[in-house]
Every structure is written in C-alpha cells, then in structure tokens.
Amino acid sequence: MDFTYDDEQIALRDAVRGLLARKYSDFEQRRRQVAEDPGFDESLWGELAEMGVLGLPFSEDDGGMGAGPVEVAIVATELGRVIAPEPFLSSVVLAGGLVALAGTPEQRTEVLGSLASGERVLALAHLEPGDPVTATPSGDSWTLSGVKEPVVHGARADQVVVSATRPDGSLGLFLVEGDAATRAGYSSYDGGRAARISFEDTTAVALGDPETDGAPLLEQALAGARIAACHEMLGGMEVALSATTDYLKSRKQFGVTLNTFQALNFRAADMYVSLELARSTALWASMVHATGDAAATREAAARAGLHVGKAARHIGQDAIQLHGGIAMTAEYLVGNITARLTVLERFLGDGDHLSVLAAGIDDHAALDPIPEPTA
C-alpha cells in the first residue's frame, strides 16, 4: 500500500495546520477556550466550514466536498496535534456520518448541507446510563422516552441523532431538535464537553426509512469514527513524543542533559516505534474504509483501535514519567495530551476490539500466519 499523500492532500494538511496554528499554537489559548462554554471556538468552526473541512466526508449532492476517509484522517491528525476542542469527530464524522448512511435524500440535503456550512452542530446520543430509550409511534412522527449519557457536545448541538428501541425490539434512528429535550451539560476529563439528555415523550422524526434496522448503520458509522479517532490520537502522540525528546535534550541533571543517560534514550526510542506502528495501522484502516466494504471496515477499525490504543497508553504514560512532576500540572501540554488520548481510547471501544476480532477468528484457516521453518 502507498501511504504517501498526493499534492491535494498535502495542500489540505498544510491549510488546516496553518489555520489551527493561528488559534492554538500557544497552549494557553486552548486552556482559555475550553474554560468557557461551549468549549470550542465558534469563529474557528466557521473558518473550518469556509475552508470546506466540515463537508469533507459528504457527497457533493448532499452539500459536501465528496472527499474520502484519508482526507478526514488528515484533518483529524491536525486537530489532534493541538488537541483542538472543536467537535469535528463527534459532530461531522460520527453524527454526520450516520445521517449520510441512514437519511433520506431530503434529510441529507437539509442536515448535512447546514452542517457543512457551519450553521448546524450535530451530536449522537447513543450511550445509556440505565434502561434503553424507547421510541413509540405517534401519528406521522415518534415520541422518545429515557436518558442518554454521555452525549459529546450534546448541550451545544442544534440537532441530536438518537438511537432508540422500537416496540418490536429493533433499533431505530431518530432526529430530535436540541432544545426539545432536557439537557444538562458538563466538562469532561479532557476539558471537552458532554451532556445528559432526558427525553420525556419528546417528539422525534425517523431518520431514513422507519422500518429499517438501524443497528448495522450505527456500527458502520461508529467504525468510521473510530478510525478517524485513531488519527486524532496519532497527532497527539506525535507532539507528546516531540516534547519529550526536546525535554530530554534540554533538562540537566548532575550537570549533564538527560539524553546523556542511555536508559532514557531507549525509552524514547520505544515510544517512536510505538508511534510508527500505530501510524501504519491507522493509515491502513483508512485505506480499507475508503474501499466502502462495511464488514472489512469494522474489522479494520477494531484492529486499529487495539493497536493505537495500546500505543497511546505507552506514549502518554512514558511522556509523563520522562518529564517528571512538571507533566502532571494543568499548565503543561503533555499531561493534557495524555488526558485527551485516554478519552479517545475509551471512545474507541474500551476493550471491545478484542471481542470483535475474536468473534471472527474461525474465519481464518490458520491461527498462526508464520510458517514452520524448513530444514
């Protein structure tokens, strides 16, 4: 596989990197931004829309740019490099991706067009702290009852895509106006935003065909978002490793810089190996996603999630240890990157990847791909 970006992809990377550098090159700017609601810069969100970034994954007929998973990966990596709090992953890739898969042509044009132009922020309400959210038919529409939490950027969202259990037990997908439900927003561990959303006979509109089982479409959208999240983690890991090696070259102990000690250099080298293995796996997963094969994409997302999650834990934890106490402070970049990596790792599935991969192990003729050595 060729992992080299073409000229247009390089131009996209440089343009997004330049825009984000103007806003978040100083880490203090990011700290100030996440301290106030809605937790991200609305003006920067508008600039990303003008650049066409918010419409990248969607077809031109739906108001998007008609790009693919590799272009989404490029943007996610740049956002990860500055741990930008803008809801690209949750709103555009995940919730928008689900609308693109399940929505009617009219819904796609209306919802995705306004999402791509920056006029509307979406959120996906899927996780449930207790009993499932239920959907009941009510004339031409539906009503929803129950609680969803956490909903990433749920308090800011203009519209929420909700999964709910229909009377026949199948999973339905619905669109709910943001202010139609009761929302309680709060800050998350990484400085982001999430919400608890309560539905009490809340009016909802079926997303797409109301008779279609939404479970496979939801899994497909989650797989695409997990692959994009892997790339956001790659951006964070790149910066954490760079900050760590710079620190080892400049911090002195016993009259010499820390990179004088071979044991510390070995740990930095191990971090680099973890990063490159994670990068290869994430890029491979994006290229599988670009083929449009839903089953292969779900497996690739599980493999990438497993590898990138392990690499993130290794690089984040070692970056903190090699920096010493300074990395534990709220003012220092490395600790904040590790917090974001931890949140994204949980977002990636929190251990589900092994279950997904184990379920398909009988599909392989041999469990050990390494042949026996010949005499």
Side-chain angles (χ1 to χ4, degrees):
M1 287 185 169
D2 183 4
F3 290 164
T4 306
Y5 294 149
D6 61 28
D7 291 343
E8 290 187 358
Q9 291 166 339
I10 291 173
L12 172 65
R13 181 198 64 188
D14 293 346
V16 174
R17 183 175 295 184
L19 177 61
L20 295 175
R22 282 197 280 112
K23 178 62 185 178
Y24 294 125
S25 58
D26 178 2
F27 178 62
E28 283 300 312
Q29 289 180 283
R30 194 259 185 192
R31 291 189 65 229
R32 288 192 293 270
Q33 195 66 58
V34 300
E36 299 179 358
D37 285 333
F40 66 92
D41 187 339
E42 299 263 14
S43 63
L44 177 61
W45 189 247
E47 290 185 74
L48 289 168
E50 291 176 5
M51 192 182 287
V53 169
L54 305 188
L56 276 178
F58 313 127
S59 71
E60 295 181 10
D61 290 341
D62 295 336
M65 301 295 290
V70 175
E71 286 73 19
V72 170
I74 290 170
V75 173
T77 303
E78 296 307 315
L79 292 168
R81 287 174 60 85
V82 295
I83 44 177
E86 277 63 33
F88 178 76
L89 181 63
S90 60
S91 182
V92 175
V93 181
L94 182 54
L98 187 52
V99 172
L101 287 170
T104 63
E106 293 77 16
Q107 288 174 329
R108 295 200 306 269
T109 301
E110 178 192 350
V111 177
L112 299 182
S114 59
L115 174 62
S117 65
E119 300 169 6
R120 184 184 320 221
V121 174
L122 294 182
L124 173 64
H126 173 55
L127 299 176
E128 296 161 338
D131 293 334
V133 169
T134 57
T136 305
S138 176
D140 294 334
S141 61
W142 294 71
T143 59
L144 306 183
S145 296
V147 176
K148 292 284 188 178
E149 185 183 21
V151 181
V152 179
H153 287 288
R156 167 61 184 83
D158 301 293
Q159 202 167 35
V160 184
V161 183
V162 187
S163 61
T165 303
R166 291 183 292 218
D168 64 358
S170 63
L171 187 75
L173 301 172
F174 302 89
L175 287 171
V176 177
E177 296 302 316
D179 55 8
T182 302
R183 300 183 289 184
Y186 49 84
S187 297
S188 55
Y189 170 70
D190 61 340
R193 291 292 187 280
R196 178 184 180 90
I197 301 183
S198 302
F199 303 97
E200 299 174 357
D201 293 329
T202 304
T203 302
V205 175
L207 178 63
D209 184 352
E211 303 297 325
T212 299
D213 182 7
L217 299 174
L218 179 62
E219 278 302 313
Q220 192 173 344
L222 287 170
R226 284 169 181 147
I227 293 172
C230 286
H231 287 276
E232 187 173 332
M233 296 171 79
L234 283 178
M237 287 189 281
E238 287 176 7
V239 175
L241 176 57
S242 176
T244 302
T245 54
D246 288 345
Y247 184 77
L248 294 179
K249 294 173 184 174
S250 59
R251 178 77 166 90
K252 287 188 175 181
Q253 201 163 42
F254 308 117
V256 296
T257 56
L258 291 178
N259 68 334
T260 307
F261 302 103
Q262 193 174 41
L264 300 184
N265 286 335
F266 284 166
R267 291 184 65 173
D270 286 343
M271 293 166 67
Y272 176 78
V273 171
S274 287
L275 173 62
E276 292 306 309
L277 287 173
R279 190 196 313 279
S280 299
T281 309
L283 285 170
W284 164 77
S286 288
M287 297 177 76
V288 172
H289 188 198
T291 66
D293 186 328
T297 298
R298 283 196 293 273
E299 181 173 331
R303 291 181 183 277
L306 187 63
H307 280 283
V308 177
K310 288 175 64 177
R313 256 176 286 144
H314 172 212
I315 292 174
Q317 291 172 2
D318 269 30
I320 287 179
Q321 289 180 18
L322 291 174
H323 273 87
I326 187 177
M328 299 299 292
T329 62
E331 294 78 11
Y332 200 69
L333 173 65
V334 167
N336 287 270
I337 289 177
T338 304
R340 179 61 178 161
L341 293 177
T342 302
V343 168
L344 286 172
E345 184 191 359
R346 297 299 181 267
F347 177 80
L348 289 169
D350 197 14
D352 289 346
H353 311 304
L354 278 178
S355 300
V356 172
L357 296 172
I361 200 166
D362 290 339
D363 298 338
H364 301 274
L367 299 183
D368 185 356
I370 303 176
E372 292 291 333
T374 55

